Amino acid sequence: MELKDFKAKAVRERLNIGKEFGKIFTFIDFANVNKWFERDTQDWSDRPLAVDQVLDIDIDKLQSFTDLFSDRVRLYYGQDPVNEGSVKFTGALRIVFDSKNVVTKDLQKIKHYLAPKEEGIEYEKTDREGKKFVEIRKCNFDVEIAVDAFKMMKHYDTFCIFSGDADFVYLHNFLRKHGKKIIIIKGGHITSKLRKTADLVINAQQIKKDIARIKKTKT
């Protein structure tokens, strides 16, 4: 048995991904995944993080991990076209996951005007009329994921989604009616309706060591 096959067998056994799931296509909503461990105070070995350390998603580890049980992986990422770091990160994603498997679009910036009791928070701005607001960055890929899942439906047995978004209930039920199995890999709490659509639910804490890295915070 080759090393990759050995690792794949170990991961499948640890996460209960049996042979009954057949061919698996994995869809990663990266904006969701990227926030999974941002409030964690311990690493994957339950060791406390230093005050200048945080957990971050390692895209190389994420790709290697999903490749162990997936026949194909697609990743969705909202890019800020005026942010050099965001553009460079998109380039890195395309190298790691292959350009044909990375779907991007520009972030939308929505103004949220602040009530007097909210003023003074970080990143607030002021418009021409003197009203204070913050920009909420949003980029929803629910439609893109649903369309791709439908278009590829004949090529997989199991739809695996890296997201706990309740909006996927309708898609999951549609796929189940067409004989597909569902794996949800989620960060925090998910609704009971979403949980009922899945054949297997995997908590992000179970795969922390597989996809996370320790990163120094900026001074």
Side-chain angles (χ1 to χ4, degrees):
M1 183 181 292
E2 294 185 3
L3 179 59
K4 182 180 177 181
D5 295 329
F6 178 79
K7 288 182 178 179
K9 184 175 183 295
V11 165
R12 281 176 169 268
E13 289 179 353
R14 172 160 57 92
L15 301 178
N16 295 317
I17 305 175
K19 293 181 179 179
E20 68 273 16
F21 288 99
K23 185 176 288 187
I24 300 172
F25 275 25
T26 296
F27 299 77
I28 301 172
D29 182 351
F30 192 77
N32 188 301
V33 174
N34 202 32
K35 299 176 182 178
W36 279 354
F37 308 123
E38 64 182 1
R39 295 187 178 182
D40 284 25
T41 58
Q42 296 178 321
D43 68 9
W44 44 87
S45 299
D46 296 328
R47 292 173 297 199
L49 296 172
V51 292
D52 63 342
Q53 292 179 330
V54 293
L55 289 182
D56 188 29
I57 300 298
D58 185 318
I59 61 173
D60 290 295
K61 290 176 70 173
L62 178 62
Q63 191 280 329
S64 296
F65 169 71
T66 52
D67 191 48
L68 292 175
F69 61 86
S70 308
D71 292 87
R72 185 167 182 182
V73 180
R74 283 177 75 78
L75 183 143
Y76 301 79
Y77 172 67
Q79 173 185 274
D80 185 349
V82 298
N83 184 313
E84 184 180 353
S86 180
V87 174
K88 286 183 177 179
F89 186 69
T90 300
L93 288 173
R94 287 176 175 153
I95 291 171
V96 172
F97 285 89
D98 197 326
S99 293
K100 67 177 183 291
N101 295 318
V102 177
V103 180
T104 65
K105 64 181 179 182
D106 291 349
L107 284 168
Q108 298 178 14
K109 295 180 180 180
I110 302 171
K111 289 182 179 180
H112 168 70
Y113 283 93
L114 303 173
K117 63 181 180 180
E118 296 176 309
E119 293 180 3
I121 67 174
E122 193 175 6
Y123 304 122
E124 73 175 29
K125 297 182 179 181
T126 305
D127 66 11
R128 293 179 181 178
E129 298 178 358
K131 296 180 180 179
K132 294 182 178 180
F133 67 92
V134 290
E135 287 183 338
I136 299 174
R137 299 181 178 185
K138 188 175 181 180
C139 196
N140 193 307
F141 281 98
D142 293 0
V143 173
E144 287 83 355
I145 292 174
V147 170
D148 287 347
F150 176 76
K151 287 167 60 178
M152 299 177 182
M153 196 165 59
K154 294 181 180 179
H155 304 289
Y156 62 82
D157 303 300
T158 296
F159 171 84
C160 175
I161 181 73
F162 273 61
S163 173
D165 193 333
D167 289 340
F168 286 117
V169 168
Y170 189 87
L171 173 63
H172 292 181
N173 285 331
F174 171 82
L175 293 174
R176 288 175 67 89
K177 286 179 181 179
H178 287 77
K180 306 303 177 184
K181 292 185 180 295
I182 306 294
I183 296 175
I184 297 174
I185 301 181
K186 54 92 177 182
H189 171 76
I190 61 173
T191 65
S192 59
K193 286 186 177 180
L194 183 64
R195 185 177 291 274
K196 288 178 181 178
T197 67
D199 297 277
L200 176 64
V201 177
I202 298 171
N203 192 297
Q205 294 297 321
Q206 295 175 250
I207 62 170
K208 184 190 287 190
K209 69 177 182 180
D210 302 294
I211 65 173
R213 64 180 178 180
I214 297 175
K215 180 181 177 181
K216 288 277 189 178
T217 57
K218 294 182 179 179
T219 304

